[in-house]
Amino acid sequence: APDFFHFDGDEGVLCVAEVGHMTGTEEGSEDAYTKIGLGGWYYSADFDRIGSVDADGNPTQHGGNYGVYLLGERAVYREPQAPERGLAAFARVGIADSHVNTVGFYAGAGAVYTGLLRSRPDDQLGLGVAAAFVGHEFQDASKEAGIDADDAEVAIELTYRAQLTPWLAVQPDLQYIVNPSFDPSVEDALALGARRELAGQVRSA
């Protein structure tokens, strides 16, 4: 039989799982759309341990890597005459193994308004804030190396998704990043980007 799966002991296996509860629908229903999810991941490979070396100066190995997260989404307002329009909010928090990951804790929240302009019911305006906090091991290793590292990197994002045609959407995006890469010598950054979405429909004869 063909060998479809091959696991290398050095590469490890990544496992991901999530459980959640959802009521209502995003498109509109009698019940307000609400979603709560709890998930986690585990990577069985070996990783370099932050701030720890052996007698030869090589990083010591740490078996496995993991993370856990909690997320929530809710439709907080719907326009009475057009329930597909309105405001939705979301929040997420997560932790990761700080022995091998620079970021030990993450928190983010934001809101999206669909159909803010009545002439453009499918457009979406979004505002979000995300903060990544360094782990204790990275902080301790930075101090021992004489490096001054910031505690957190914070990104503030403003975006607008314009549905120009049934098959084309354009989404400009503006981000302001505080303490990029946790490096106090790097000035805060302003980033501007955009994305395009193309959607097609396949018809069978």
Side-chain angles (χ1 to χ4, degrees):
D3 185 8
F4 290 105
F5 299 99
H6 174 70
F7 298 107
D8 190 322
D10 294 333
E11 294 180 355
V13 177
L14 175 63
C15 302
V16 182
E18 179 180 301
V19 295
H21 174 72
M22 185 173 69
T23 60
T25 65
E26 294 180 273
E27 291 75 21
S29 69
E30 293 182 359
D31 296 329
Y33 169 72
T34 303
K35 177 182 177 180
I36 298 175
L38 175 65
W41 55 269
Y42 179 78
Y43 196 2
S44 65
D46 291 334
F47 296 85
D48 292 344
R49 192 182 183 98
I50 294 176
S52 179
V53 296
D54 59 22
D56 297 325
N58 299 315
T60 58
Q61 296 297 292
H62 181 82
N65 189 2
Y66 69 87
V68 179
Y69 62 88
L70 176 68
L71 62 87
E73 302 174 7
R74 183 171 176 82
V76 295
Y77 171 74
R78 282 185 173 146
E79 297 186 11
Q81 304 303 322
E84 68 278 5
R85 299 178 181 176
L87 181 67
F90 65 88
R92 300 182 180 98
V93 294
I95 60 173
D97 187 353
S98 60
H99 291 98
V100 296
N101 297 291
T102 301
V103 176
F105 177 74
Y106 164 86
V112 177
Y113 203 106
T114 300
L116 183 64
L117 302 176
R118 293 191 176 278
S119 60
R120 305 194 58 82
D122 296 323
D123 287 7
Q124 294 179 311
L125 174 66
L127 177 65
V129 179
F133 299 86
V134 296
H136 295 298
E137 283 73 11
F138 181 82
Q139 289 179 322
D140 294 341
S142 297
K143 291 178 181 179
E144 291 180 4
I147 300 173
D148 186 18
D150 288 318
D151 294 335
E153 175 185 289
V154 180
I156 303 170
E157 180 180 10
L158 177 66
T159 185
Y160 189 90
R161 183 180 182 275
Q163 190 70 46
L164 302 181
T165 71
W167 51 269
L168 175 63
V170 176
Q171 183 175 356
D173 182 271
L174 180 66
Q175 295 185 36
Y176 185 75
I177 305 168
V178 182
N179 300 331
S181 301
F182 314 104
D183 189 342
S185 66
V186 178
E187 296 183 357
D188 295 349
L190 185 66
L192 177 63
R195 61 180 295 183
R196 293 177 298 171
E197 297 180 25
L198 298 174
Q201 184 177 6
V202 178
R203 297 181 178 180
S204 59

